[in-house]
Amino acid sequence: MDNSTSTKVISIFIPHEGCPHDCVFCNQKKISGSVKSPDIKDIEEHIETALTTLDNNSYNIVLAFYGGSFTAIKREKQIEYLRVAKYYKDRKSINSIRLSTRPDYMKDEHVSLLKEYNVDHVELGIQSTHPKVLKLSKRYYSIYTINQAVMNLSKYNIDFGFQIMIGLPGDNRQRLINTCFELAALQPNTLRIYPTLVIVNTELQEMYKNMEYTPLTLLEARELSIIPYIIFKNLGSNIIRVGLHASESLLLDDNIVAGPFHSAFGEMVQSSIYWAMIKSAIVRYRLQNKNITIIANARDFSKITGNKGENRVLIKDYFNVEYKFQKNDSLKDDIIIQYENYDYLLRMKEYYNDIINQLTNEWHCKNIMN
Ligand code: SF4
């Protein structure tokens, strides 16, 4: 199977199973749309049904246990789940096994069990590394615990990724930058970025009602999400999600009380990056009041134009510039702005480096001042 093979995930949700914690933002039972953990027969049926439509010669098939803190479940129960997963992996019906958990349940005994059952990838729900943010979110671990978890996973050669949240109680831009740089040093293979939402029946809902917590606006969440997006993209991490997955039950039940939810949030973050790149190029190359051509990979056209054409409107309103597209599928993320006989190549990687330099300076300045 080559790297271009697309991935299909068979997800098994294990809502709140075994989790003794009460993070202020969490109501796993609602998020997963189910209150009962699946039993082994349910899991087998689910996998068999999924496999009837998936050919593992055509797809990279991942079996994923999501929703709770897997390694906090009773060991016997973990073994039951892992045995099923390993059975399908040994038969080569699936290609890999992944699961999510917390960093404080990644001690040697937890990781060695996962290794025994050939788990390939562990996603650690980090959320933040800042002590105040973690405390206010009722997550009682530290960067030391996170480092230990990563050391144990590396010792057993298990691939890992992180989940982080934007806009938790007590969080701010500086603390987010700090979280990102601390975590980037650990070089995760994957990253998920979730803006904090106020969900019904959570402590955060109470805090919101009592005006102890103010959620980010959509615009603030977008601007902040760019920080981890660029830092980890530049690192080579695979950013597998930006924004909460809009499970139908979540939306239908009106479970979101407040917060920066948008079904196209991830694409909006990428559009903001294109807007910033194009804006600075128009100024640098004095393209105001001109009609330009943007040459890009066709798959990036909608990100460049933005949700409901917002970037097209901004470019027109700010600079009186109109553009048409020209397709060049050999470009990957980079774009070319063409005006008359001039081609201006805007390299995404260079833009990332500029932003990372700015963030590094901001981080150092704040650390020196504090
Ligand atoms: S976020 Fe994870 S650790 Fe926290 S209460 Fe929910 S399931 Fe438990």
Side-chain angles (χ1 to χ4, degrees):
M1 191 174 305
D2 62 45
N3 285 339
S4 62
T5 308
S6 70
T7 295
K8 295 281 177 190
V9 180
I10 304 175
S11 294
I12 313 286
F13 282 97
I14 305 182
H16 214 77
E17 173 79 68
C19 179
H21 304 284
D22 273 309
C23 305
V24 293
F25 53 81
C26 175
N27 184 341
Q28 278 292 328
K29 296 178 184 90
K30 291 279 179 189
I31 288 178
S32 59
S34 162
V35 288
K36 187 178 164 290
S37 294
D39 62 29
I40 298 303
K41 204 163 152 288
D42 294 339
I43 292 176
E44 285 170 348
E45 272 176 25
H46 180 61
I47 297 171
E48 291 292 343
T49 307
L51 289 176
T52 56
T53 60
L54 297 173
D55 168 10
N56 73 345
N57 291 317
S58 314
Y59 296 110
N60 172 36
I61 304 176
V62 179
L63 181 64
F65 293 105
Y66 282 125
S69 301
F70 190 92
T71 50
I73 302 172
K74 278 197 194 118
R75 195 175 166 90
E76 308 79 68
K77 192 83 177 171
Q78 285 184 59
I79 291 172
E80 281 181 34
Y81 289 144
L82 291 170
R83 203 173 272 147
V84 177
K86 187 170 184 298
Y87 169 77
Y88 284 99
K89 193 173 169 193
D90 287 348
R91 280 179 50 190
K92 303 199 187 317
S93 306
I94 61 165
N95 301 94
S96 61
I97 305 167
R98 55 169 68 188
L99 53 88
S100 60
T101 192
R102 290 169 50 116
D104 43 352
Y105 290 88
M106 276 285 93
K107 300 197 172 59
D108 196 285
E109 70 261 27
H110 300 118
V111 188
S112 61
L113 181 67
L114 302 186
K115 187 68 190 173
E116 199 181 320
Y117 285 88
N118 284 347
V119 170
D120 297 276
H121 185 92
V122 171
E123 276 188 43
L124 296 174
I126 305 287
Q127 322 315 359
S128 171
T129 61
H130 197 279
K132 279 198 183 133
V133 178
L134 286 171
K135 192 167 171 212
L136 286 169
S137 302
K138 298 203 169 166
R139 292 177 73 90
Y140 301 107
Y141 51 78
S142 66
I143 186 67
Y144 175 78
T145 319
I146 297 164
N147 286 334
Q148 289 294 317
V150 167
M151 270 172 56
N152 288 336
L153 285 160
S154 303
K155 175 179 158 192
Y156 286 97
N157 207 16
I158 297 180
D159 191 40
F160 64 92
F162 298 145
Q163 299 173 19
I164 61 168
M165 292 178 72
I166 313 285
L168 283 170
D171 205 5
N172 57 35
R173 179 181 168 88
Q174 192 54 34
R175 289 174 181 175
L176 174 64
I177 294 173
N178 197 66
T179 291
C180 292
F181 280 128
E182 283 189 332
L183 294 181
L186 300 173
Q187 306 201 310
N189 278 299
T190 61
L191 184 76
R192 289 175 196 262
I193 305 166
Y194 293 128
T196 304
L197 301 173
V198 181
I199 306 288
V200 287
N201 300 330
T202 60
E203 196 173 333
L204 199 61
Q205 185 186 15
E206 288 305 306
M207 292 163 76
Y208 172 67
K209 271 202 307 207
N210 299 334
M211 293 198 281
E212 294 158 10
Y213 173 72
T214 308
L216 296 174
T217 64
L218 191 57
L219 185 63
E220 287 167 336
R222 272 173 83 163
E223 284 173 357
L224 290 171
S225 297
I226 288 173
I227 296 170
Y229 187 90
I230 289 182
I231 291 176
F232 288 92
K233 196 86 181 163
N234 196 52
L235 192 68
S237 305
N238 179 14
I239 301 190
I240 44 186
R241 179 159 289 281
V242 184
L244 190 67
H245 183 63
S247 84
E248 282 185 351
S249 63
L250 190 71
L251 291 176
L252 290 176
D253 292 346
D254 282 336
N255 280 330
I256 300 173
V257 178
F261 178 76
H262 194 288
S263 55
F265 187 80
E267 188 153 313
M268 284 172 134
V269 169
Q270 293 175 65
S271 296
S272 296
I273 293 171
Y274 276 118
W275 159 237
M277 275 173 80
I278 293 168
K279 184 169 62 170
S280 66
I282 289 174
V283 173
R284 191 180 326 138
Y285 302 120
R286 299 169 194 248
L287 296 170
Q288 296 90 337
N289 306 309
K290 308 282 195 288
N291 285 345
I292 59 172
T293 301
I294 297 180
I295 306 172
N297 191 307
R299 101 190 150 184
D300 294 328
F301 285 179
S302 67
K303 291 175 210 155
I304 295 166
T305 300
N307 191 253
K308 298 188 178 144
E310 62 181 352
N311 284 354
R312 192 179 280 281
V313 173
L314 285 168
I315 291 167
K316 172 79 178 152
D317 286 356
Y318 271 71
F319 302 114
N320 192 30
V321 167
E322 297 204 33
Y323 67 84
K324 62 178 183 302
F325 276 125
Q326 189 179 309
K327 183 172 104 155
N328 179 342
D329 288 347
S330 69
L331 290 168
K332 245 183 116 191
D333 299 333
D334 301 339
I335 58 175
I336 296 169
I337 292 188
Q338 192 174 65
Y339 174 66
E340 293 186 336
N341 294 328
Y342 294 96
D343 278 358
Y344 304 103
L345 174 62
L346 313 188
R347 288 188 197 278
M348 188 60 91
K349 190 82 180 163
E350 280 174 17
Y351 178 72
Y352 288 168
N353 284 334
D354 286 349
I355 297 296
I356 289 168
N357 285 339
Q358 286 169 29
L359 291 169
T360 309
N361 287 338
E362 206 179 312
W363 188 41
H364 285 152
C365 286
K366 267 283 189 314
N367 282 346
I368 289 164
M369 276 155 49
N370 291 337

